[in-house]
Structure formats: C-alpha cells, structure tokens
C-alpha cells in the first residue's frame, strides 16, 4: 500500500498525468477466438485488462489519494466480485459502544426509577393506612412519632451493609462513620456540633411527623396526603425568599393553586369543627417539612449518601437521648395514656416504624440512583393510592369540593416539577415543529409545480413566468 506521504509527493512532482501506451492491439469490443483477454505488464508492474480501464483508474486513484486508495482497487475489480473491506477507525467503534452503554444505562436508570416510584408510593400509602389502623386501639400520636423516629438509628448500618455487599468496602464501620462525620466539620463530630446541628433538624422532623399523625385523627388518609403535597409549594417559596432561587412564574401559579386547594379543603365542611383543625394540622406538617428541607439544603446541600445516612442516624440518637423526656411528660400529665408495655400494639408499632424507615431509605437512596423527579411523583401517587383504599375498604364518600381541591393541589404539585428551563425548551420544540411544517409545505409546493409543468409540456403548452 502506498503511504500518504508517497501519494502527496507523487502528486506534487507530476505536473500532468502520463498514461502508458497499451501494447494490446485488439480493439475494444473485439474478442479472441478463445475468449481470453490479452494481459500486458507495464513498467509500473500494474496489471491491466484488454480495455485498459483497470490501469487508468488505478493510476488516477493512486495520484489523487482517493479515500485511502489501495492498488488494484478499481471499479473493474469490484465488478469482478472481489470483496473490499473499508477500514473502520477504532474511534467509531468506541463511540458506538459508548453510545450503546449510555443508552443501556439510561434505560436501566429509568426502569429502576419507575420501580422505585411504585415502592415509594406503596410504602407511603402503607404507612398512612397502618397509622389509621393503629389509632383504633392506641391513640398516642407523639409516642408513635417518637418510636418511629428512633428507627432512624438503623439508617447508617443499613447503608454500610449495602456498601459492603456492592463495593466490598475495606473500611470498618467505625472508620466509615468517622469519615462521614466530616459533614459536621474538618474536626469531625463534637458534642457541641452534635447538639447544634442535630437539634433543629430533629425537632422539625418530630414536629412534621407528629402534626401529620394528629391530622390523620381528624381527616381521611386521602385528604391528609393531598394536603401534605403542598410542602412542595412551600419549599419553592422558602427557597425563593431564603436561598434566593430563581423566580419562576409557573411555580408562583402552582403555589397559588396549592393555597386555593387548602382553602377549598377547609371550606368543604365549613370553617369549623374537626375538618378545619385537621386541615390546619396537615398544612402545619407540610410547612415544617418544607422548612426542614430548605435548611437541609442550606447547611448540608452537598452531602453524599453516606453523610446523609450518618446524619439521619445521628438524628435518631438525638431523638432517643433528648426527646425521650417528652413522652414521659405526656404520660405523667395524662395527655397520652400509654398503659402497660404488654398492652401496647407492638405489631402495628413495629410495622409502622418499619414502613416509615423504608420510605425514608427509598427517598434518600432514590435521589442518588435515579432521577429526583420520580421520587416526587411517587409521593404524589400516594394520593390516588390512599383514595382507592379509603373507597374500597373504609367506604369513604368524597364530596365534589374535596375532589376539586385534591385535583387542584395535585395539578399544582405537577407544575412545580417542571424544570427551570422548561419555557425555553418548549419554545425551541415549537419552533422546530414549525420549521418542519414549513419545509414540508415548501416541498409539497415544489412537487406540485414540477407536476404542473410536466403536464403543461405534455399538452403542448408552455408556462411563461411573469417579469
């Protein structure tokens, strides 16, 4: 094979193309008696056929360096049926394999996200319904909230176990715990930082759960889960005010829709009685949840999964050590009557705490493994899930006002899931569609004009364009 340098040198030295004279005396189209072609060799040692086309094409292709030419690669040879394999660069193969791996990874991520959506929705529906069942025999919401929050201690051990199984972690649990404790600072976790950082989040966590449970005593599971979805609107408003996030008109509209749904839900049974109190408790739970998330984003926004697991386990320890006095105070003041330990519904309590823990694990792990929007959709799907259970099992009849309020809140929740660049993306998409329609219309006009001209010529008429 001729190298690229030799091709360039031959092209530069030769000012014209010199063709070797053909020795063959037979004219084209004439054949010998035997039907064989007469082969003659020139000084370039290139084999030619009787008509000389092979030799001419080879010389032209060699001089011009056409597409990495190989000697003897001509149309005549291709017609003879000899196979020629174009050299495929390794970069193209690597790009194809890389794109295939990217598509496979994206598909698996989406499928895993959809499965995670179902798990998140099912765990949240199960938690809400088990709370309703627990209240039938044990009506102590703060004790239930405190008992369930203690299970957050298991968050870091579960994370470390999963890490060992998936990556064969070499560090001991204590070493990994100390590494993740850098979330509190370069010096690690001290008693002062432990109280300073953990106390506000632990109090907000406990208030969110307690108000949610209190709301379930007053309202149906569907109403409480729908009102809790308003926390997304409160997160946007607080982030806009506190974190100076980008202002988006569509999210303001979504926040207004959430507030409208809250007012309609309170108005459903009149602004009095347990319904109004239940709505206020559910909105309070959504507000404390939004404040917790905004503060978490402000102070711990760059935390990875290990640091989040460490932080949640630390909150569990804080809840067990410092907040244990509150259930005792409520017990001695007879605000919550616990009874004897043997009379407590441990099955419901452990099932409730386990489902709550699973929900929190799925939410925090799902944000890392898949798309965060899918986790939000899983929380939203708990509304129709609870509605199905309420209708089929508890035979709840929803009024038109409550259904309208629930639909408005859910629609506002979906609007809050729109990305920040949704408007520019939508405009580009519409512009692309308009351009395609214009091109198709222009092609149709061109085809019709060509067809008209051909018919005119066939009929003997000539169309003269106007000046």
């Amino acid at each position: 094979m001729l190298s690229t340098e030799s091709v360039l040198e031959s092209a530069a030295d030769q000012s014209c193309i010199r063709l070797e004279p053909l020795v063959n005396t037979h004219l084209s189209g004439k054949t010998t008696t035997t039907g064989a072609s007469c082969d003659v060799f020139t000084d370039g040692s290139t084999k030619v056929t009787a008509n000389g086309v092979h030799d001419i094409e080879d010389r032209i292709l060699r001089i011009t360096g056409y597409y990495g030419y190989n000697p003897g690669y001509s149309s005549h040879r291709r017609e003879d049926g000899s196979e020629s394999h174009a050299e495929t660069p390794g970069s193209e193969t690597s790009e194809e394999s890389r794109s295939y791996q990217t598509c496979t990874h994206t598909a698996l991520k989406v499928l895993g996200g959809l499965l995670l959506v179902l798990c998140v929705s099912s765990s949240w529906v199960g938690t809400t319904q088990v709370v309703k069942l627990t209240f039938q025999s044990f009506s102590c919401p703060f004790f239930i909230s405190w008992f369930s929050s203690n299970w957050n201690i298991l968050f870091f051990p579960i994370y470390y176990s999963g890490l060992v199984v998936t990556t064969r972690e070499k560090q001991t649990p204590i070493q990994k715990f100390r590494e993740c404790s850098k979330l509190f600072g370069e010096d690690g976790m001290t008693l002062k930082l432990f109280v300073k950082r953990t106390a506000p989040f632990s109090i907000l966590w406990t208030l969110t759960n307690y108000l949610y449970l209190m709301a379930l005593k007053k309202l149906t599971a569907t109403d409480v889960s729908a009102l809790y979805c308003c926390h997304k609107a409160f997160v946007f408003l607080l982030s806009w005010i506190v974190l100076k996030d980008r202002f988006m008109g569509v999210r303001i509209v979504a926040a207004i829709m959430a507030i409208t749904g809250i007012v309609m839900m309170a108005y459903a049974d009149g602004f009095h009685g347990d319904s109004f109190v239940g709505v206020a408790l559910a909105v309070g739970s959504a507000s404390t949840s939004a404040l917790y998330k905004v503060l978490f984003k402000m102070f711990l926004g760059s935390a990875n999964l290990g640091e989040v697991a460490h932080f949640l386990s630390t909150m569990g320890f804080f809840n067990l050590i410092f907040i244990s006095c509150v259930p005792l105070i409520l017990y001695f003041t007879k605000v919550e009557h616990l009874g004897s330990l043997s009379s407590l519904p441990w099955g419901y309590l452990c099932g409730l705490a386990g489902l709550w823990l699973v929900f929190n694990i799925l939410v925090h792990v799902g944000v890392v493994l898949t798309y965060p929007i899918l986790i939000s959709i899983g929380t939203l799907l708990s509304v129709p899930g609870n509605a199905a259970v309420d209708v089929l099992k508890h035979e709840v009849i929803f009024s038109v006002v409550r259904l309208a309020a629930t639909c408005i809140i859910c629609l506002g929740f979906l609007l809050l899931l729109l990305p920040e660049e949704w408007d520019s993306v939508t405009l580009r998409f519409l512009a692309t569609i308009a351009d395609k329609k214009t091109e198709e219309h222009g092609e149709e006009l061109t085809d019709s004009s060509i067809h008209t001209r051909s018919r005119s010529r066939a009929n003997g008429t000539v169309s003269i364009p106007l000046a």
Side-chain angles (χ1 to χ4, degrees):
M1 181 187 295
L2 293 175
S3 63
T4 306
E5 294 179 358
S6 62
V7 171
L8 294 175
E9 289 175 1
S10 61
D13 295 336
Q14 294 180 348
S15 59
C16 62
I17 300 174
R18 182 174 60 87
L19 300 179
E20 295 291 340
L22 295 176
V23 182
N24 185 13
T25 59
H26 291 281
L27 298 174
S28 60
K30 302 290 184 178
T31 58
T32 62
T33 56
T34 59
S37 61
C38 181
D39 297 340
V40 178
F41 292 90
T42 63
D43 55 355
S45 68
T46 304
K47 191 175 181 179
V48 298
T49 58
N51 56 9
V53 175
H54 188 183
D55 182 63
I56 294 172
E57 286 188 8
D58 283 341
R59 287 178 176 275
I60 294 174
L61 293 174
R62 184 178 73 247
I63 293 172
T64 58
Y66 180 72
Y67 289 107
Y69 157 75
N70 292 323
Y73 186 82
S74 62
S75 61
H76 189 78
R77 183 174 180 179
R78 289 194 298 271
E79 291 173 357
D80 291 341
S82 59
E83 296 181 358
S84 59
H85 300 281
E87 295 182 359
T88 304
S91 59
E92 295 182 0
T93 305
S94 61
E95 288 179 359
E96 291 179 358
S97 61
R98 205 178 301 116
S99 61
Y100 175 76
Q101 292 176 357
T102 303
C103 294
T104 304
H105 176 71
T106 304
L108 292 176
K109 194 173 182 180
V110 171
L111 291 177
L114 294 177
L115 179 61
L116 199 63
V117 165
L118 297 177
C119 293
V120 169
S121 178
S122 301
S123 61
W124 192 234
V125 171
T127 301
T128 306
Q129 294 297 328
V130 172
V131 169
K132 299 288 288 185
L133 293 175
T134 306
F135 280 157
Q136 295 177 1
S137 58
F138 185 72
S139 181
C140 297
F142 193 90
F143 179 83
I144 295 174
S145 174
W146 171 81
F147 180 79
S148 301
S149 299
N150 289 336
W151 283 50
N152 284 339
I153 298 174
L154 301 175
F155 207 107
F156 186 82
I158 293 174
Y159 160 76
Y160 182 79
S161 301
L163 197 65
V164 170
V165 172
T166 55
T167 62
R168 297 179 181 180
E169 180 66 34
K170 301 295 184 180
Q171 292 178 314
T172 62
I174 297 177
Q175 291 175 342
K176 190 65 179 179
F177 190 83
R178 289 176 178 174
E179 177 184 337
C180 295
S181 65
K182 293 181 180 179
L183 177 69
F184 294 92
E186 294 296 332
D187 298 332
M189 184 176 61
T190 61
L191 181 59
K192 181 180 179 180
L193 286 176
F194 170 72
V195 175
K196 182 180 178 180
R197 288 290 182 90
T198 310
F201 293 99
S202 183
I203 292 172
L204 288 173
W205 181 284
T206 303
L207 276 176
T208 299
N209 296 341
Y210 176 67
L211 294 174
Y212 188 84
L213 297 178
M214 287 292 293
L216 285 173
K217 294 183 67 176
K218 308 291 184 180
L219 301 174
T220 62
T222 305
D223 294 342
V224 176
S225 58
L227 290 169
Y228 182 75
C229 288
C230 295
H231 77 277
K232 198 77 175 178
F234 299 153
V235 168
F236 163 69
L237 293 175
L238 289 174
S239 299
W240 177 41
I241 296 171
V242 178
L243 301 180
K244 307 299 180 182
D245 282 359
R246 179 185 173 186
F247 174 82
M248 293 181 61
V250 67
R251 294 186 178 178
I252 289 293
V253 174
I256 294 173
M257 294 177 67
I259 296 172
T260 303
I262 292 170
V263 174
M264 291 178 64
M265 193 74 72
Y267 175 75
D269 296 330
F271 293 98
H272 56 79
D274 292 341
S275 178
F276 181 77
V277 175
V279 171
L281 291 171
V283 173
S285 176
S287 303
T288 53
S289 175
L291 183 58
Y292 170 88
K293 292 182 178 181
V294 171
L295 291 178
F296 190 92
K297 184 179 180 180
M298 180 185 298
F299 295 106
L300 309 172
S302 59
N304 54 36
L305 183 58
E307 293 172 343
V308 171
H310 177 280
F311 185 75
L312 291 176
S313 294
T314 305
M315 283 204 312
F317 278 112
F318 184 90
N319 184 82
L320 179 63
I321 297 172
F322 294 98
I323 304 184
S324 298
C325 60
V326 179
L328 294 177
I329 294 173
L330 295 177
Y331 172 73
F332 287 115
T333 56
K334 297 182 180 180
V335 175
E336 291 187 356
H337 182 68
L338 301 178
S340 61
L341 294 178
S342 59
S343 63
L344 295 179
W346 292 111
Y348 285 139
L349 291 176
C350 293
L352 169 61
L355 285 172
W356 220 323
L357 179 64
V358 169
F359 173 76
N360 291 322
I361 291 175
L362 291 175
V363 168
H364 290 90
V365 173
V367 172
V368 177
L369 298 181
T370 183
Y371 303 100
I373 189 174
L374 296 178
I375 306 302
S376 300
I377 293 176
T379 305
L380 180 65
L381 289 179
S382 65
V383 178
N386 281 312
V389 175
D390 287 341
V391 171
L392 297 177
K393 185 176 181 180
H394 303 292
E395 298 181 354
V396 177
I397 299 176
F398 298 101
S399 63
V400 178
V401 178
R402 288 186 180 276
L403 287 176
T406 303
C407 293
I408 290 173
I409 292 174
C410 293
L411 182 59
F413 188 93
L414 291 175
L415 290 178
L416 288 166
L417 298 181
L418 292 175
E420 293 185 355
E421 303 296 335
W422 73 274
D423 48 353
S424 58
V425 173
T426 305
L427 291 176
R428 286 199 300 267
F429 178 72
L430 295 176
T432 303
I433 294 177
D435 292 340
K436 288 183 178 179
K437 288 184 177 180
T438 304
E439 292 176 359
E440 292 176 357
H441 184 63
E443 291 176 358
E444 292 177 357
L445 291 177
T446 304
D447 295 338
S448 62
S449 62
I450 294 174
H451 184 64
T452 304
R453 290 177 183 175
S454 62
R455 284 192 305 171
S456 300
R457 291 170 182 169
N459 294 332
T461 61
V462 179
S463 58
I464 302 174
L466 296 176

